[in-house]
Amino acid sequence: ETGVTQTPRHLVMGMTNKKSLKCEQHLGHNAMYWYKQSAKKPLELMFVYSLEERVENNSVPSRFSPECPNSSHLFLHLHTLQPEDSALYLCASSQGLAGSGETQYFGPGTRLLVL
Amino acid sequence: QKEVEQNSGPLSVPEGAIASLNCTYSDRGSQSFFWYRQYSGKSPELIMFIYSNGDKEDGRFTAQLNKASQYVSLLIRDSQPSDSATYLCAVRGSGNTPLVFGKGTRLSVIA
């Protein structure tokens, strides 16, 4: 257990569905991240939030919409996804964005399949 | 475009041997370097981080950093079958930038 939880762990959705992924961290961290991990590709950073403000949007299509209501919770809202969006979606948190001693802690991920 | 390169492997070593995993990066101003281990179907877990040139040892793991040559390596001594996993190298550039990950190297330790 890393102190970062994600729900659901598995999700199957059609291309017309709307769903949300949830991440919660119990570490008192100030920064949270969404990553996408596809087969045979490096981890792709999607969004970064610091103190509930979005500081990074890594050219992610608008069918992915993040929300950070407070420093402990992060959501990823999904709508009209494509089959190529099927991947493992990982949430991570860290105390700060940069500086010595700062490391990221990952949640278990949500395995998403888009049909 | 900041890049982190790793040999995808698989790297096969016999049990008890030293496994050597290498990583190169393109951003010369990079400050922090991390090694993650990821078992199949699991999320990454942090093994080590290093900020200064030289070696950093933690148990069976040693991270080596050479900023002049822009490479960082991870040595695993007395490799065990349980070390079989994909090892991800991650690099943080200068300033307030998030980590950039390599594709990972798959390590297989043969009993």
Side-chain angles (χ1 to χ4, degrees):
Chain A
E1 284 293 327
T2 63
V4 181
T5 58
Q6 289 186 244
T7 54
R9 296 293 305 277
H10 301 273
L11 179 62
V12 180
M13 58 188 290
M15 289 190 284
T16 58
N17 292 157
K18 288 185 180 181
K19 297 286 184 184
S20 295
L21 309 184
K22 179 183 176 182
C23 175
E24 184 173 359
Q25 58 97 359
H26 311 276
L27 302 168
H29 289 168
N30 294 317
M32 296 187 77
Y33 312 75
W34 279 117
Y35 285 89
K36 175 183 177 183
Q37 189 172 39
S38 305
K40 300 183 180 179
K41 285 187 172 183
L43 275 176
E44 298 173 62
L45 179 65
M46 300 176 73
F47 301 103
V48 181
Y49 276 82
S50 176
L51 297 172
E52 300 144 48
E53 285 192 28
R54 190 190 307 181
V55 297
E56 180 82 22
N57 178 353
N58 209 22
S59 302
V60 179
S62 59
R63 56 187 184 268
F64 295 92
S65 174
E67 178 190 359
C68 186
N70 55 62
S71 59
S72 299
H73 293 86
L74 185 65
F75 295 90
L76 187 63
H77 304 299
L78 316 171
H79 65 97
T80 59
L81 293 192
Q82 304 298 310
E84 60 264 29
D85 296 322
S86 299
L88 179 68
Y89 289 84
L90 290 162
C91 174
S93 72
S94 59
Q95 181 59 46
L97 281 175
S100 296
E102 183 270 312
T103 56
Q104 285 180 320
Y105 296 84
F106 283 86
T110 295
R111 177 72 62 185
L112 173 66
L113 177 62
V114 181
L115 300 176
Chain B
Q1 182 76 9
K2 297 173 183 176
E3 293 182 345
V4 176
E5 299 287 339
Q6 295 181 257
N7 188 322
S8 62
L11 172 66
S12 294
V13 300
E15 184 175 359
I18 296 176
S20 178
L21 304 159
N22 299 314
C23 171
T24 59
Y25 57 94
S26 62
D27 181 2
R28 186 168 285 278
S30 296
Q31 300 292 319
S32 312
F33 307 85
F34 302 82
W35 282 101
Y36 287 82
R37 177 177 61 199
Q38 186 173 24
Y39 292 108
S40 180
K42 303 291 187 182
S43 56
E45 53 180 330
L46 181 68
I47 299 177
M48 290 193 72
F49 55 87
I50 186 169
Y51 304 113
S52 304
N53 275 328
D55 294 1
K56 179 181 178 182
E57 187 174 321
D58 184 2
R60 294 187 297 113
F61 298 97
T62 299
Q64 299 176 317
L65 175 61
N66 185 324
K67 288 187 178 181
S69 300
Q70 294 176 240
Y71 83 79
V72 56
S73 61
L74 179 70
L75 302 179
I76 307 175
R77 288 182 301 283
D78 188 24
S79 296
Q80 302 297 310
S82 58
D83 295 326
S84 299
T86 296
Y87 290 81
L88 303 171
C89 173
V91 176
R92 182 185 314 288
S94 53
N96 229 17
T97 54
L99 291 177
V100 177
F101 283 82
K103 291 185 180 181
T105 298
R106 189 155 58 90
L107 173 67
S108 178
V109 180
I110 311 298

